[in-house]
Amino acid sequence: MLTGLFVLNAAAQEEPRVRARDLGVAPGIFSPGTNNAITDVAGVRVGQVTLRKGDKVRTGVTAILPHPGNAYRSRVPAALHVGNGFGKFIGTTQINELGELESPILLTCTLCVWKAADAMVEWMLAQPDMQEVRSLNVVVGETNDGRLNDIRARPITAAAVRTALESAKSGPVQEGSVGAGTGTTAFGWKAGIGTSSRKLPESLGGWTVGVLVQANFGGVLQVEGAPVGRELDRYAFQNAVAARENTRGLADDRGDGSIIIVIATDAPLSDRNLQRLASRGMMGLGRTGSSASNGSGDYILAFSTAESVRRQFDAVRLQTTELANEQMSAVFQASVDAVEESVYNALFMATTESGNGQTVEAIPLDQVRKILKEHGVEVPVR
């Protein structure tokens, strides 16, 4: 039993946290799915374990399962785009070579990727129909939560990984300071896990695109074009730009950090078109104000859950029906918009967090509302 260690943040917040749409921030033109989450793609499930221990450990695990079956036996086509490769993403060379995913996807902290990978290997090998398996390519991504988390303690355990995998479910996904986002920050504010989705009109195929991000990066925050970072006086290179003393006693923020973006869709896409789809994730990221700095690991993994492109591991031939190139544009648009909104959700839902001797504040939503209104973003009356 995992007692006492895995607890969600119960600290009272003076200001209720809300998702982007509650602030009138709804990027793009397509409507979201039922939960506005990656789990709106049928079959996709998310499980999370949040680890807070003492006053130093603030980290966790987020697991994404592509479908309810055995991911090794029934593989989904997949592709990875690297916007900036300053990071660790286990298992991606084989994805690039074979164009398929044969495990769930785990997200965690930088120095825990190998422990998480080993735990997932053990968990998968213990599953039914896996007794003869001698090779596994598990996929684990990371961002560095070492500001709030005692990352050198490498606190992720096999029990935490198993719990994340076995608790994965469809429906709403918890966001902000949870799971792999427990200790992460973005644009100088507390961030974490964020998710969003888009449902295309039937005339454009009716496909669903879902996104989940682990946000831990920097830059100059903008929301629907409004210069939120500048107006809140928290943005990359601000001390150099303002030619002033650094009142926080820290080195000038250069926008470093990382983000993992996972894009799921039920559109029947080949790994080639999934590569094209993954590359569009950088466009959504750029809208939020990231410049993919030197010290930022920016990775986008995309996969398709469609039965018509599924790959049985022992198949002799593959007969697939996939979406034509000319039908990809709406899927691209949906992914760009969902990535952008996922980042906002990661920020707006995160709560102020203290750990490892530091405190990172949640972005003040009352001030964000004011800035958005001043720049013409319609904010709903609450």
Side-chain angles (χ1 to χ4, degrees):
M1 292 291 291
L2 301 174
T3 358
L5 297 184
F6 300 90
V7 191
L8 295 180
N9 188 2
Q13 296 289 317
E14 291 183 5
E15 184 180 28
R17 309 309 292 175
V18 298
R19 304 187 81 191
R21 285 177 181 259
D22 292 317
L23 295 178
V25 178
I29 53 174
F30 300 128
S31 298
T34 303
N35 298 293
N36 195 14
I38 193 172
T39 50
D40 289 329
V41 179
V44 175
R45 294 169 293 152
V46 174
Q48 303 193 82
V49 165
T50 299
L51 175 53
R52 289 185 176 86
K53 186 177 181 182
D55 58 3
K56 285 193 173 183
V57 173
R58 302 290 185 271
T59 193
V61 181
T62 297
I64 302 169
L65 280 64
H67 59 74
N70 185 316
Y72 180 86
R73 297 286 175 183
S74 183
R75 303 176 180 190
V76 298
L80 178 81
H81 177 79
V82 181
N84 192 64
F86 197 106
K88 288 142 281 294
F89 208 149
I90 291 175
T92 55
T93 55
Q94 184 170 311
I95 288 178
N96 287 337
E97 183 68 25
L98 302 183
E100 61 191 28
L101 184 67
E102 64 180 50
S103 81
I105 302 159
L106 291 182
L107 307 179
T108 189
C109 74
T110 299
L111 293 183
C112 291
V113 288
W114 305 278
K115 293 181 74 174
D118 186 62
M120 182 154 62
V121 167
E122 287 188 358
W123 180 79
M124 289 189 69
L125 290 178
Q127 302 303 305
D129 301 325
M130 297 290 283
Q131 288 77 12
E132 304 301 318
V133 172
R134 294 178 139 190
S135 174
L136 268 177
N137 185 55
V138 295
V139 175
V140 185
E142 55 81 25
T143 70
N144 193 315
D145 57 15
R147 181 174 175 186
L148 288 170
N149 176 46
D150 182 8
I151 199 166
R152 288 174 60 89
R154 306 180 70 214
I156 296 302
T157 63
V161 171
R162 285 195 304 271
T163 299
L165 290 163
E166 292 172 0
S167 66
K169 60 183 181 179
S170 57
V173 175
Q174 199 163 11
E175 296 170 296
S177 309
V178 296
T182 302
T184 65
T185 65
F187 299 109
W189 305 100
K190 185 67 187 74
I193 297 298
T195 189
S196 185
S197 70
R198 294 295 184 274
K199 173 76 172 173
L200 295 182
E202 291 302 322
S203 61
L204 295 174
W207 314 114
T208 298
V209 177
V211 171
L212 183 141
V213 303
Q214 179 192 17
N216 190 54
F217 64 101
V220 184
L221 175 62
Q222 56 185 24
V223 180
E224 293 268 70
V228 173
R230 292 183 63 182
E231 302 228 357
L232 290 179
D233 197 30
R234 192 170 297 193
Y235 56 91
F237 307 108
Q238 67 184 86
N239 296 317
V241 168
R244 68 184 185 191
E245 292 290 331
N246 188 338
T247 57
R248 297 193 187 109
L250 300 172
D252 204 351
D253 178 11
R254 296 178 177 270
D256 288 343
S258 294
I259 185 170
I260 305 294
I261 300 170
V262 180
I263 303 175
T265 184
D266 57 4
L269 305 185
S270 64
D271 54 277
R272 178 184 58 79
N273 267 331
L274 285 165
Q275 177 67 55
R276 300 175 71 206
L277 179 63
S279 71
R280 269 60 178 186
M282 291 300 292
M283 295 182 178
L285 182 61
R287 284 183 183 176
T288 70
S290 167
S291 60
S293 71
N294 174 72
S296 187
D298 305 316
Y299 297 87
I300 305 103
L301 177 63
F303 65 88
S304 169
T305 64
E307 290 285 352
S308 66
V309 293
R310 198 75 60 83
R311 305 171 178 186
Q312 300 305 313
F313 111 101
D314 54 355
V316 177
R317 291 185 179 86
L318 295 176
Q319 293 184 332
T320 63
T321 301
E322 65 185 65
L323 209 60
N325 294 336
E326 291 295 326
Q327 303 303 311
M328 288 296 299
S329 294
V331 182
F332 291 157
Q333 182 70 54
S335 68
V336 172
D337 296 340
V339 168
E340 181 183 7
E341 187 169 349
S342 293
V343 171
Y344 299 148
N345 284 336
L347 273 171
F348 298 162
M349 290 297 290
T351 50
T352 296
E353 188 74 57
S354 296
N356 205 30
Q358 296 197 50
T359 296
V360 179
E361 300 167 329
I363 192 168
L365 295 183
D366 56 343
Q367 296 181 50
V368 172
R369 285 187 181 93
K370 181 180 177 183
I371 295 167
L372 292 175
K373 187 174 181 180
E374 289 172 351
H375 287 82
V377 179
E378 194 65 35
V379 180
V381 177
R382 295 182 61 80

